[in-house]
Amino acid sequence: MAEVDVAPTFGAELKDGFKPANAWVANGIAWLDDIQSFYRERSVIEKEHSAKLNALAKKYFEKKSKKSASLSVGDTPAMTPGSLENASLTIWTTHLTTLESIAEEHEKFGNELIQKVADPLKYFAGRFEELRKRHVEYAAKLEAERDSSYADLRKTKTKYDAACQEVESKRKKTESSFDKAKAQSQYQQQLHDMNNVKNTYLIAINVTNKQKEKYYHEYVPELLDSLQDLSEFRTMKLNSLWSTAASLETTMLQQSNSLVEHLAQEITRNQPHLDSMMYIRHNMGAFQEPPDKVFEPSPVWHDDDLMVTDEIAKVFLRNVLNKSKGQLGELRREVDKKRREIEGVKRVKQRIREGTENKDEVIVVSQIFSMQEELHQVDRKRLTAEVETSTITSAVGDVTLGAKNHNFKSQTFKIPTNCDLCGERIWGLSAKGFDCRDCGYTCHSKCEMKVPAECPGELSKEERKKYKAERQAAAGALLKPPSGTPDHVAELPALSRSNTMNSLSSGYAASANRSISGSVASPRTPAEDTPPEPSGPRPAVKKSRLVAPPPTAYISELPGSSVPPANKAAEKKGKMLYSFEANGEGELTVPEGREVTILEPDDGSGWVKVRAGYKEGIVPASYLEIFPEPIVPQDTGSSLRSRPASTYSNSGSSVNTAGPPVKKKGPAVAPRRGAKKLKYVVALYDYTAQSDVEHSMTEGERFVLIKEDPGDGWAEVEKGGVTKSVPASYVQVATD
């Protein structure tokens, strides 16, 4: 027969190992207290969890009851739902009910852990401890018996030693005693007693050894085996209670799982359209679309709803139609492109819902919404362009046929420039207008749509100047007052030369004073440099101020200088916006406000050659304001020599008594004439500087190019005498 493996025992293996084995078993029994404490704390947690789940369910039952109607049919339903709830709320009720049932299962599980696990553990721990103590007492008794045998053996050995000593004493007495026979008899008797004690001692040794053998090979191993059995019995009971705890938890989890499975089945019945159907059913009502907007005449100007189609109106309509038609094709293509993009992303969303594509649906839906917003903006522009095109075409036909449209680009004018349409100044560094890149036509932003479509095409520099002069002359004619005195204006008094020069009503009184004395008149404030904005709409024709002839028609700068004849071709004039001090050869010192004659215009170097009195030289172009029309001296029909000397008033009305003038600081001066011709760039887009080493730009703004892009994507430009960097892709080299 095959040998059966026998498990090792404490008695066979440990021999005299009772004390450490007892300590080990004691630790195992004490551990039962930790285990039963664990299950008690687990029971408390389960009960607290149950209480929290019940409280949570109760809280959201109350919230649901308050919002049930608004969630089902909205805040203002056309028909009240009564006790009905939509499908989602029904499923939510199942959620909360399931939560309450799960809470009950946890409560039950917590109670059973105490009753069926923790309490039995406590009971068995106490019984096992009693048994262990019995083992300890019995082990102590066996050890006492062993020690007693050892003590008896030691006593017998002591008696034997004493007997031997007594025999030796009797022997010595026989040698020295007078009664030899008696001493010999006592010696023999003592020797017999010693032998008896020896035999007793030998018997005691055998008995003690046998007791020792039984102690170590029978009594202690049996005790150790019993102690091992106690430990294994403890393990058996612990396993049984653990199985009970696991079974209880399995039952609780199975019950909870069945509740959750039922909830999952109910969730599948909640079709997305059911809530919408209930809301629609309880909110259906009559809808009345708001009426279309109609033309409403002004209370102060009674008019009809017919479009104005005279020639001036047609210019505006032609520009609007041209702009709308130019945008319409691109807008339609953009709308179609964006719609296709949205359809593509919607297909991606559908694939995500079907589970065939792994992406974040929230991100995809957000992307669709963003793309729809962009489509909405473009489609609004397309619709506006279509309606504008159809409305104008139905009223006046396609008036863009044969039109020669200007190539307008947004422009920020850095120097005073006149509008070629209305003739008024485009003021300020931030004043934006439009500039035709082909013919150089300039206008306000507000005048763009009023400009006739009569662009002559690309022109040379000389042709541009010619057309510019013609347009300015035509625009200036609009600003001149009518030749006769209007009926509603009283007759003005006649003006004489003397009262002209003595009055501030003439704009040339101050300049005449400057031309003779060379001194600078009182400086104008920035508020005077900038024209005030009109408080109301600007009239079609502005009434000009009456001015006297310029003093240079009557006097000469120096004795012996001649006055140009009256019929000489008019020279272009200008005025210094800032004082300029000559710093080099060929430059001319000119005070602020001084009128000068333009001899050579700016050829791209940033400098203009002028004449101030009898002196000629160059000044920075940015310091100079060029008049749009040359001032021609009036011919009085008599020579200068026959005229009386001019009389000037010393009154405070014409002589500056306000104290020393305050000089305004002019802009940075361009490089001297003779240097390399400047290269300009124009900003294509707006740009905000990100640091102190960068320039901010506005679309259309011009800069002097200092250094082209070396390959790092930045170019160096100059503005106002300060050189900084700008993105090279944001600028392009100016062609004009």
Side-chain angles (χ1 to χ4, degrees), residues 600-601 603 605 607-609 618 671-675:
E600 293 181 12
D603 59 356
S605 64
W607 293 78
V608 179
K609 186 174 182 180
I618 58 174
R672 281 288 311 277
R673 178 185 293 271

Side-chain angles (χ1 to χ4, degrees), residues 76-336:
T76 57
M79 179 175 62
T80 55
S83 61
L84 292 177
E85 292 181 340
N86 63 13
S88 293
L89 281 176
T90 304
I91 300 301
W92 181 235
T93 302
T94 306
H95 268 85
L96 299 179
T97 305
T98 302
L99 188 63
E100 289 181 331
S101 300
I102 293 174
E104 292 177 4
E105 292 297 327
H106 282 278
E107 178 74 19
K108 180 181 177 181
F109 175 58
N111 292 330
E112 289 180 337
L113 283 178
I114 297 295
Q115 297 169 3
K116 298 182 179 181
V117 180
D119 288 345
L121 275 171
K122 183 178 180 181
Y123 169 76
F124 284 115
R127 297 297 302 273
F128 293 153
E129 182 64 16
E130 290 177 3
L131 287 174
R132 187 192 66 80
K133 288 180 179 179
R134 291 282 301 274
H135 282 73
V136 172
E137 291 173 357
Y138 183 58
K141 181 180 178 181
L142 291 175
E143 186 176 357
E145 290 176 351
R146 183 200 65 183
D147 293 342
S148 176
S149 298
Y150 289 164
D152 290 343
L153 182 60
R154 285 192 297 272
K155 288 179 181 179
T156 303
K157 174 66 168 59
T158 302
K159 288 181 180 181
Y160 171 69
D161 291 340
C164 290
Q165 186 67 31
E166 188 65 25
V167 168
E168 180 64 21
S169 176
K170 292 294 184 182
R171 186 188 65 78
K172 289 180 178 181
K173 284 183 178 182
T174 58
E175 294 177 354
S176 59
S177 175
F178 295 102
D179 190 355
K180 298 269 185 201
K182 184 179 179 180
Q184 188 65 34
S185 175
Q186 290 178 346
Y187 168 72
Q188 290 296 327
Q189 184 64 35
Q190 190 63 40
L191 185 62
H192 292 311
D193 290 341
M194 182 196 72
N195 292 332
N196 291 333
V197 172
K198 177 183 178 182
N199 290 334
T200 302
Y201 176 54
L202 291 174
I203 292 171
I205 288 174
N206 290 332
V207 170
T208 301
N209 287 336
K210 197 64 177 179
Q211 292 291 342
K212 176 185 73 71
E213 181 182 355
K214 293 285 280 186
Y215 176 80
Y216 285 107
H217 294 280
E218 185 175 341
Y219 301 148
V220 173
E222 287 178 354
L223 184 62
L224 285 171
D225 289 344
S226 178
L227 196 63
Q228 179 183 358
D229 182 68
L230 175 62
S231 175
E232 291 175 355
F233 180 52
R234 172 191 63 80
T235 303
M236 290 172 59
K237 283 298 182 182
L238 181 59
N239 287 342
S240 175
L241 293 175
W242 273 347
S243 298
T244 301
S247 176
L248 292 175
E249 188 164 7
T250 300
T251 303
M252 183 269 293
L253 292 175
Q254 287 176 347
Q255 292 294 330
S256 300
N257 188 50
S258 64
L259 292 170
V260 174
E261 287 178 352
H262 173 69
L263 174 61
Q265 292 175 357
E266 291 295 313
I267 291 173
T268 59
R269 298 172 55 193
N270 183 25
Q271 298 299 322
H273 66 278
L274 295 178
D275 292 352
S276 302
M277 290 177 61
M278 182 174 182
Y279 179 81
I280 292 171
R281 192 163 54 246
H282 287 80
N283 285 273
M284 287 190 299
F287 168 71
Q288 184 176 359
E289 184 178 354
D292 291 344
K293 303 297 181 182
V294 296
F295 175 77
E296 297 180 7
S298 171
V300 297
W301 187 267
H302 301 291
D303 206 346
D304 54 25
D305 59 353
L306 299 177
M307 291 189 67
V308 180
T309 58
D310 57 22
E311 290 304 319
I312 297 178
K314 281 185 178 180
V315 171
F316 175 77
L317 294 176
R318 180 185 295 111
N319 289 332
V320 174
L321 179 59
N322 181 69
K323 186 175 182 180
S324 299
K325 285 177 64 177
Q327 297 174 347
L328 190 54
E330 182 63 29
L331 290 173
R332 285 173 176 168
R333 289 189 293 272
E334 186 71 14
V335 167
D336 291 340

